[in-house]
């Protein structure tokens, strides 16, 4: 086994076998277009606000950036997916849902060749902004350099997930019933409802309720 593969398995586990559904890898992608300043808010926020170790940063080789979170204790895919939804709700509530992708499971291999002259790869935080217009590498990334980058990272301890998992998901129906109808001068309420409406972690019916509340 190569050093790179060893680091990937240390952080993200191996592809689940038959009957094994729990996952250690969860990936949040922001694309179309790639927007590192916004995703950097998540990268910085989980460390400063939640005390998590830094997630890996990757360019997907096509049109966006990714954050790879490593879980020390595997979670069921639905729970891991919900965890990513709460991150979106907390940090990316104003981003259009179609620009976000949540992967709870074994993600596509990285690094890998995506097109003739485009490779996905893990990148360092200080170089991430360089790939804003071209979120790929033109040449295959060096395996030793990729392994070195991943070798600095550590999984999120199970106890450090508790704060985010305990956060309530705000339902639009509750907001519509208790909040005053948004007015031109009530920007805070309007932005709150917009965040609920655009949050892919919230049920579609509740997001529609938020949209209706905005129209009142």
């Amino acid at each position: 086994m190569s050093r790179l593969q060893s680091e990937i398995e240390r952080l993200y586990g191996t592809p689940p076998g038959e009957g094994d559904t729990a996952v250690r890898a969860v990936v949040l992608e922001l694309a179309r277009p790639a927007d590192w300043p916004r995703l950097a808010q998540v990268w910085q926020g989980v460390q400063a606000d939640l005390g998590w170790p830094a997630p890996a940063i990757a360019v997907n080789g096509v049109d966006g950036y990714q954050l790879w979170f490593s879980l020390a204790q595997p979670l069921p895919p639905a729970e891991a997916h919900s965890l990513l939804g709460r991150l979106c709700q907390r940090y990316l509530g104003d981003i259009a849902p179609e620009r976000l992708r949540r992967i709870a499971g074994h993600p596509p291999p990285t690094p890998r060749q995506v097109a003739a002259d485009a490779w996905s790869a893990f990148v360092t935080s200080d170089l991430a902004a360089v790939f804003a217009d071209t979120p790929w590498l033109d040449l295959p990334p060096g395996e030793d350099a990729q392994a070195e980058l991943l070798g600095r990272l550590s999984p999120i301890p199970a106890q450090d997930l508790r704060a985010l998992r305990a956060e309530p998901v705000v339902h639009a129906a509750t907001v519509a019933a208790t909040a005053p109808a948004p007015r031109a001068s009530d920007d805070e309420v309007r932005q709150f409802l917009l965040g609920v409406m655009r949050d892919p972690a919230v049920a579609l019916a509740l997001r529609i309720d938020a949209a209706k509340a905005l129209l009142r």
Side-chain angles (χ1 to χ4, degrees):
M1 181 186 299
S2 69
R3 181 187 173 197
L4 175 58
Q5 187 60 36
S6 177
E7 290 294 348
I8 289 174
E9 292 191 7
R10 176 183 69 85
L11 291 170
Y12 308 113
T14 56
E18 184 176 353
D20 181 14
T21 58
V23 299
R24 290 188 55 211
V26 289
V27 177
L28 176 60
E29 179 179 282
L30 176 58
R32 300 170 300 278
D35 189 344
W36 173 240
R38 287 309 311 274
L39 202 59
Q41 292 178 10
V42 185
W43 184 82
Q44 294 165 347
V46 297
Q47 297 176 72
D49 303 336
L50 303 174
W52 292 4
I57 304 163
V59 288
N60 68 4
V62 181
D63 57 5
Y65 290 96
Q66 298 174 334
L67 294 181
W68 286 53
F69 298 91
S70 167
L71 306 179
Q73 179 177 317
L75 290 178
E79 193 169 343
H81 199 267
S82 177
L83 191 75
L84 289 174
R86 292 173 190 272
L87 285 179
C88 292
Q89 179 175 285
R90 178 185 266 254
Y91 296 108
L92 301 172
D94 62 331
I95 297 294
E98 59 268 20
R99 294 185 57 206
L100 295 169
R101 182 185 181 201
R102 292 178 282 167
I103 305 171
H106 206 71
T110 297
R112 67 189 176 100
Q113 186 172 10
V114 178
D117 296 310
W119 279 260
S120 66
F122 296 106
V123 299
T124 59
S125 59
D126 56 334
L127 291 180
V130 172
F131 300 95
D133 295 326
T134 54
W136 59 79
L137 271 65
D138 296 328
L139 297 171
E143 285 202 4
D144 287 344
Q146 293 281 283
E148 179 67 25
L149 191 156
L150 294 181
R152 305 169 195 161
L153 307 178
S154 57
I156 306 169
Q159 63 270 21
D160 289 350
L161 295 176
R162 291 173 185 163
L164 186 65
R165 291 165 72 184
E167 285 189 359
V169 175
V170 178
H171 296 308
T174 302
V175 173
T178 61
R183 302 181 301 276
S185 60
D186 198 353
D187 186 63
E188 183 176 347
V189 173
R190 185 174 185 278
Q191 290 302 318
F192 182 71
L193 286 171
L194 280 171
V196 173
M197 184 184 71
R198 295 170 175 169
D199 183 4
V202 176
L204 178 60
L206 298 176
R207 289 163 60 191
I208 291 172
D209 285 344
K212 290 178 180 178
L214 283 167
L215 294 173
R216 290 175 185 168

